[in-house]
Amino acid sequence: MPSTPDEWQNQPRLRAADVDRQQAVESLTRAWREGRITRDEFQERSQISLAATFTDELDDVLSDLGGLSYYAEPMATPNATSGQLEVRDSWKSEHDDALPVQWAPEGATGSGLTVGFMSGMDRVGRWVVPANHVAVGFWGGAVIDLRDAVFTSPETTITCIGIMGGVDVIVPPEMDVHVTGVGFMGGFGWDKLRYATPTRTPSPDNPRVTINGLGFWGGVGVTRKERGEPID
């Protein structure tokens, strides 16, 4: 292990992993909640964090908040039954009510169309959602996962068309979603009625999402899932 400043300077830069970027964003979220940074600062720094290649870039973003040490490292907690220590990632276990949404950089447009034609097409992870997006499942299927999506507009409309196929839309627990589509010899709507109501308090800064369209000899289903929960 390097022991002098010169040796540290000669070390190669460490590449950031997805968990590093996520932890940095969670750190910024807590700082924003506490009033240590403004909303504009939060959005700007979050975008830098999500695009970071190296860990020192994340350190720069968090330098005035305590650097990388500001966000919690995995913590060891006693196991009540075994008496052994469990490792718990605090950023995963923290309650995320009213987490501010991730906004795309100014000028970003995203893709306006998802088509599953005799096959499947998935929009998952951190993808840019335009103000209007069309998803089509024709003799095939499409998945629109909004849990980690990056939005461009406070009003977002997703038009889903399932024709002898299907479209599955996944939204996070706190998202404000309005479903207005029609099922004709098919189905359109929430997979379960209880999903229609957010299970966590929506943030006033989050986008309002409208899901409309048609299920014709096919189906369009909308469900709520926790972030990190498998699609299937």
Side-chain angles (χ1 to χ4, degrees):
M1 176 179 294
S3 57
T4 67
D6 290 339
E7 290 177 335
W8 279 112
Q9 291 176 359
N10 292 329
Q11 290 298 302
R13 299 173 73 187
L14 297 178
R15 299 186 72 89
D18 287 341
V19 66
D20 299 320
R21 300 182 188 95
Q22 182 66 41
Q23 286 176 320
V25 172
E26 292 296 330
S27 174
L28 292 169
T29 298
R30 288 193 291 274
W32 180 74
R33 285 175 174 171
E34 295 167 359
R36 303 177 68 185
I37 58 176
T38 65
R39 175 184 172 182
D40 290 342
E41 288 175 316
F42 168 80
Q43 293 180 356
E44 179 182 359
R45 296 188 190 198
S46 294
Q47 291 163 11
I48 294 173
S49 297
L50 294 173
T53 302
F54 299 98
T55 56
D56 56 18
E57 296 175 79
L58 299 176
D59 202 15
D60 290 342
V61 169
L62 301 173
S63 60
D64 59 348
L65 301 173
L68 294 176
S69 63
Y70 178 74
Y71 57 78
E73 297 293 335
M75 297 188 304
T77 56
N79 184 304
T81 56
S82 67
Q84 298 178 344
L85 293 179
E86 292 180 347
V87 174
R88 178 172 62 86
D89 287 335
S90 61
W91 69 269
K92 288 184 178 180
S93 60
E94 181 182 350
H95 201 264
D96 64 346
D97 282 358
L99 280 179
V101 73
Q102 298 297 313
W103 296 101
E106 185 177 356
T109 57
S111 175
L113 181 64
T114 297
V115 178
F117 177 65
M118 300 182 70
S119 62
M121 176 65 182
D122 297 343
R123 295 283 184 185
V124 300
R126 294 193 178 278
W127 64 287
V128 178
V129 185
N132 293 281
H133 185 84
V134 177
V136 180
F138 182 65
W139 284 4
V143 174
I144 303 297
D145 190 342
L146 301 178
R147 291 175 293 177
D148 293 312
V150 181
F151 289 82
T152 60
S153 171
E155 295 285 340
T156 300
T157 299
I158 299 181
T159 301
C160 301
I161 302 173
I163 301 177
M164 293 180 286
V167 178
D168 293 320
V169 183
I170 304 173
V171 301
E174 76 284 353
M175 182 166 284
D176 182 16
V177 181
H178 297 262
V179 179
T180 62
V182 176
F184 181 69
M185 292 188 291
F188 198 114
W190 294 98
D191 286 349
K192 296 181 180 179
L193 291 180
R194 61 184 174 87
Y195 292 150
T197 303
T199 56
R200 296 181 184 169
T201 304
S203 167
D205 296 320
N206 281 4
R208 183 178 185 271
V209 177
T210 298
I211 300 173
N212 61 24
L214 173 68
F216 179 68
W217 283 7
V220 175
V222 186
T223 187
R224 291 186 189 273
K225 290 189 176 183
E226 296 283 349
R227 292 174 178 81
E229 187 177 350
I231 292 177
D232 297 329

